[in-house]
Amino acid sequence: MPKLKIVGGRRLSGEIVVDGAKNSAVALIPASILCDEIVEINNVPDISDIDALEEILDYLGVKVERGKHSIVFNDTKIDNKFIPCSMSGKLRASYYFMGAILGKYKHVDMCFPGGCSIGERPINLHLKGFEKLGAVVREDDGRVIIDADELVGAEIFLDFPSVGATINIILAAVKARGKTVIDNAAKEPHVIDVCNFLNSMGACISGIGTGRIEIIGVDHLHSTKHNVVPDMIEAGTYVIIASLLGKNLKVSNLEPLHIESLTSKLEEAGVNLEIGDDYIFVADVSEYKGIDIKTMVYPGFPTDLQQPMTPFLVSCEGISHIEETIWENRFQNIADTIKMGASIEVSSDNKVATIYGSSKLVGKEVSATDLRGGASMVICGLIADGETIIDNISYILRGYDDIVGKLNRVGADIKIVD
Ligand code: EPZ
């Protein structure tokens, strides 16, 4: 199995260009099935999650042309058959095929989605939303079958502002009869991007980016071309790296507003960030003081950045805390971070990590436990003394387009080895 080999301690200079958002692209691609004409999506990240979605499209007989950072749907008709676990289990976002196929064909038959082991990852809110629109949902041993004679707009309140449930219900509602209202909806930039994508093909969605989204059903969705919004989590990951090792390092093609919760925390720790219209620049690094982080839904501190933030807090002076409020099992990266020399305690309820700073990490053989935990280990390797070998790197390659090339080009000593 390939591994990452990193020799740490190198200062990083130059420019890292952020790609399109994984958590938008993985929704836009299934959503394209809803369109009745040609769809072209650009700025698509070249990552294995997109490969997994393309495999499902191919299985369903959808004709697509895949470029390195683009995908064109020449015909969005599908052969609506059972999607097996071998395909849907490869990623969490396969569940968007439920909303899209239900919204267009009123019948879905597929296995439950997969995804990183950061929590139980239920989809009850998605299925409740489909039922509110008039669908009948049957679950049978990991398989879900959804049928609707007709989808009729409804008032839906989400118990939690779930990103996936918000997007999936929108996909099922864009062609439903009448008006659907989603209350307590998610406001993440990738949710906004999907709504803008659907509106660009003639959907009628309002309240975009607010907690109350209204969808008026339409009959036809016409051709569109769409650029995926920049990946706020990829951007944040590289801004953290720049804060630790940057020497005139620029992270560009980002929307600063999307990661304001991160940059405000980095500045609170003492990082000197130059924040431009679409970039963030770090001229040099210095000593930082420990801070406390609590993960929240957008615009709060994103759960997807708490693991990449851990090595930063390990480097800060003093004591820091991370409180993870979204996922019940998102500290799996901490064991190997301690193995590299960090001093961290996790509460018995697995919700709070206390980080005793000023630790100097030493390169070790470690493993990626999940996507963002893997990114966290890369950062540990970049700042550690000596050589770090990271196993299970398929997790990392699921969500970070060309992470090795991007880091190499700014001076990191990182390579994929067998
Ligand atoms: C999306 O997951 C992202 N994945 C996750 O990013 C991200 O951590 C998460 O949103 C929160 O921002 C994709 O977009 C593919 P949720 P999703 O539904 O949609 C509970 C990454 O690293 N919940 O907002 O699955 C759930 O248990 C990945 O890129 C229900 O209870 O997240 C969790 O506690 C990891 N029932 C909370 O809501 C449901 O039906 C947040 O889940 C759905 C969710």
Side-chain angles (χ1 to χ4, degrees), residues 112 121-129 131 139 159 165:
F112 269 62
R121 313 202 75 176
I123 60 168
N124 59 309
L125 299 180
H126 303 233
L127 302 179
K128 186 179 96 173
E131 288 173 335
E139 295 176 48
D159 302 354

Side-chain angles (χ1 to χ4, degrees), residues 196-345:
N196 292 335
F197 170 70
L198 292 166
N199 276 358
S200 76
M201 49 171 94
C204 185
I205 304 170
S206 58
I208 298 173
T210 74
R212 181 182 170 88
I213 296 177
E214 294 192 2
I215 305 111
I216 308 288
V218 296
D219 293 328
H220 186 86
L221 293 173
H222 57 70
S223 255
T224 190
K225 273 188 183 181
H226 183 81
N227 279 315
V228 182
V229 70
D231 192 318
M232 60 183 272
I233 305 303
E234 185 192 20
T237 303
Y238 289 118
V239 170
I240 292 167
I241 291 171
S243 302
L244 285 164
L245 293 167
K247 188 155 184 60
N248 301 321
L249 181 60
K250 183 179 185 181
V251 182
S252 53
N253 187 38
L254 57 80
E255 170 49 70
L257 187 66
H258 291 170
I259 51 172
E260 194 175 9
S261 58
L262 169 71
T263 53
S264 68
K265 277 295 173 183
L266 290 172
E267 288 173 336
E268 183 187 330
V271 182
N272 183 10
L273 298 173
E274 177 193 324
I275 299 177
D277 291 341
D278 63 352
Y279 71 88
I280 291 177
F281 178 80
V282 175
D284 205 347
V285 302
S286 60
E287 289 298 314
Y288 305 132
K289 67 177 176 54
I291 52 173
D292 291 342
I293 284 168
K294 181 174 182 178
T295 65
M296 307 289 283
V297 296
Y298 191 84
F301 193 95
T303 172
D304 295 348
L305 284 176
Q306 64 92 337
Q307 292 166 292
M309 197 64 173
T310 299
F312 175 85
L313 299 176
V314 164
S315 308
C316 291
E317 291 168 4
I319 297 174
S320 301
H321 298 91
I322 295 176
E323 185 180 355
E324 172 57 61
T325 69
I326 307 292
W327 298 108
E328 59 269 34
N329 186 32
R330 204 165 199 175
F331 289 129
Q332 298 174 88
N333 52 296
I334 284 182
D336 272 353
T337 309
I338 292 170
K339 179 179 176 182
M340 293 178 72
S343 176
I344 306 173
E345 289 168 359

Side-chain angles (χ1 to χ4, degrees), residues 22-24 26 49 92-93 95-96 116 118-127 160-167 186 188 190 233 296-298 302-304 307 325-328 330 371-372 398:
K22 167 181 85 78
N23 290 346
S24 175
V26 295
D49 268 9
R92 170 88 171 154
Y95 56 31
Y96 290 129
C116 292
I118 56 177
E120 193 233 325
R121 313 202 75 176
I123 60 168
N124 59 309
L125 299 180
H126 303 233
L127 302 179
F160 180 89
S162 155
V163 167
T166 300
I167 292 174
E188 274 72 1
H190 25 291
I233 305 303
M296 307 289 283
V297 296
Y298 191 84
T303 172
D304 295 348
Q307 292 166 292
T325 69
I326 307 292
W327 298 108
E328 59 269 34
R330 204 165 199 175
L371 167 56
R372 307 303 174 183
R398 283 186 48 194

Side-chain angles (χ1 to χ4, degrees), residues 29 48-62 64 66 71 81 83-91 97:
I29 289 171
S48 58
D49 268 9
I50 305 299
D51 301 337
L53 292 175
E54 187 184 5
E55 182 189 18
I56 296 174
L57 289 172
D58 184 51
Y59 167 78
L60 295 174
V62 181
V64 298
R66 174 87 181 276
I71 187 163
K81 56 190 177 185
I83 300 174
C85 302
S86 59
M87 293 184 186
S88 67
K90 284 185 177 174
L91 74 165
F97 281 102

Side-chain angles (χ1 to χ4, degrees), residues 19-41:
D19 283 301
K22 167 181 85 78
N23 290 346
S24 175
V26 295
L28 296 173
I29 289 171
S32 297
I33 289 174
L34 282 161
C35 192
D36 299 295
E37 300 178 19
I38 291 176
V39 177
E40 179 178 332
I41 306 173

